[in-house]
Amino acid sequence: MTTAQTMLSTTQPARPARGPVAAVAVILLALGAACTPTRHRGPAAVLDSPYAAPREIVYAVAPLRNESGVSLANELIISDTLVSEIDQARGITALPMNRTLAGMRALKIADVSSPAHARALAKALGADAVIVGSITAYHPYDPPVIGLSVGLFGVSEHIGAPPQTAPGLQPEALRTAVRETAAPTETSKPTGPLSAVAAVYDASVGPTRDLVRAYAQGRHDPTSALGWERYTASMALYTRFACFETARQLLDSERRRVAPPEAAQEQDHARR
């Protein structure tokens, strides 16, 4: 009987501490919670409209053409991602992709392959401008690579689009209107795009990784295992970054185009 009593006594749960011991435990727990690092994310970069218009500007995005030579690139998904990133810009609304596709069907346009098609689509949709472009590179494996080439064709006075009276360009015009660089390019031809951007985002090079790190600021948990590199570990997230960066460059190009001459000179001087 004595042995049984001893075994029972050793398996009974300990009584909670009382008095000074309990008070010290509570204080230590509070100090531990206070020392736990907080997850500061900081503000995420936000795009802004470059136009001084009395209303929101409406963009439409034509389905991007897949010129990467890689069948894994889903044109509609990437195009829809570009729509989503542009739609988050303050002062700009991007029409849903299904509405743009419906407008193309109504006009019996299978592919927006010329400026004339782009402007006709913009007018049919009630948009101020249409973005036309292609996927020029696509490598979904580590390190990921994606290339995008886009041009903006406008029809609205709210974005300073000039009257278009000349005949449209050939389907190859957009491709030759931009250079294969990470910097935006512009054209002043009345039949060409108002602004154009061509860039290849290669996650293996330092400048691109710097852009990804800046994009991830405010969009990820800095205490997570991958941190900002989660945007290079997922092709879906990397595509979102590439679409954001392309939209940013395009809007910056538009900002320089519509800026007064003196303001444009100041911007050029600031970049030097």
Side-chain angles (χ1 to χ4, degrees):
M1 182 65 68
T2 302
T3 302
Q5 291 175 346
T6 303
M7 292 177 64
L8 288 173
S9 64
T10 59
T11 58
Q12 290 178 352
R15 294 180 179 179
R18 296 180 180 179
V21 176
V24 171
V26 171
I27 293 174
L28 291 176
L29 287 174
L31 290 174
C35 294
T36 302
T38 56
R39 298 180 177 182
H40 296 292
R41 298 197 178 198
V46 179
L47 301 177
D48 289 295
S49 170
Y51 312 108
R55 59 167 176 78
E56 283 205 339
I57 296 301
V58 179
Y59 277 4
V61 178
L64 301 176
R65 295 185 299 274
N66 183 10
E67 298 178 351
S68 67
V70 180
S71 60
L72 291 175
N74 189 310
E75 302 95 320
L76 287 180
I77 289 180
I78 297 175
S79 302
D80 200 51
T81 302
L82 182 58
V83 169
S84 176
E85 292 302 312
I86 293 174
D87 194 51
Q88 295 181 48
R90 291 179 292 206
I92 294 180
T93 296
L95 297 179
M97 180 55 60
N98 58 358
R99 182 173 171 184
T100 301
L101 292 173
M104 292 172 61
R105 287 193 296 268
L107 293 174
K108 297 182 180 180
I109 298 176
D111 181 32
V112 181
S113 56
S114 73
H117 284 170
R119 296 184 184 101
L121 181 60
K123 292 178 180 178
L125 295 172
D128 296 287
V130 168
I131 294 175
V132 181
S134 60
I135 305 160
T136 59
Y138 192 82
H139 180 78
Y141 310 107
D142 188 24
V145 178
I146 185 170
L148 297 174
S149 176
V150 300
L152 182 73
F153 296 86
V155 297
S156 169
E157 62 180 10
H158 293 297
I159 64 173
Q164 301 293 328
T165 57
L169 297 179
Q170 297 300 317
E172 297 80 12
L174 176 60
R175 194 182 313 169
T176 58
V178 293
R179 299 192 300 269
E180 291 295 332
T181 66
T185 58
E186 299 178 11
T187 177
S188 59
K189 295 181 179 180
T191 57
L194 299 176
S195 292
V197 172
V200 175
Y201 305 99
D202 185 344
S204 68
V205 300
T208 299
R209 295 178 69 83
D210 290 341
L211 291 174
V212 176
R213 187 182 292 108
Y215 172 76
Q217 176 66 36
R219 292 181 169 88
H220 77 290
D221 183 353
T223 65
S224 64
L226 289 176
W228 66 268
E229 290 183 310
R230 69 190 293 259
Y231 284 93
T232 62
S234 164
M235 192 58 185
L237 292 178
Y238 193 70
T239 299
R240 186 164 293 279
F241 147 74
C243 289
F244 171 88
E245 182 61 23
T246 299
R248 184 189 68 79
Q249 292 188 35
L250 188 65
L251 294 179
D252 282 349
S253 181
E254 278 291 274
R255 186 169 289 107
R256 292 193 297 275
R257 182 183 66 83
V258 301
E262 59 275 10
Q265 292 177 1
E266 291 179 2
Q267 293 177 10
D268 291 338
H269 181 73
R271 287 196 301 272
R272 294 174 183 174

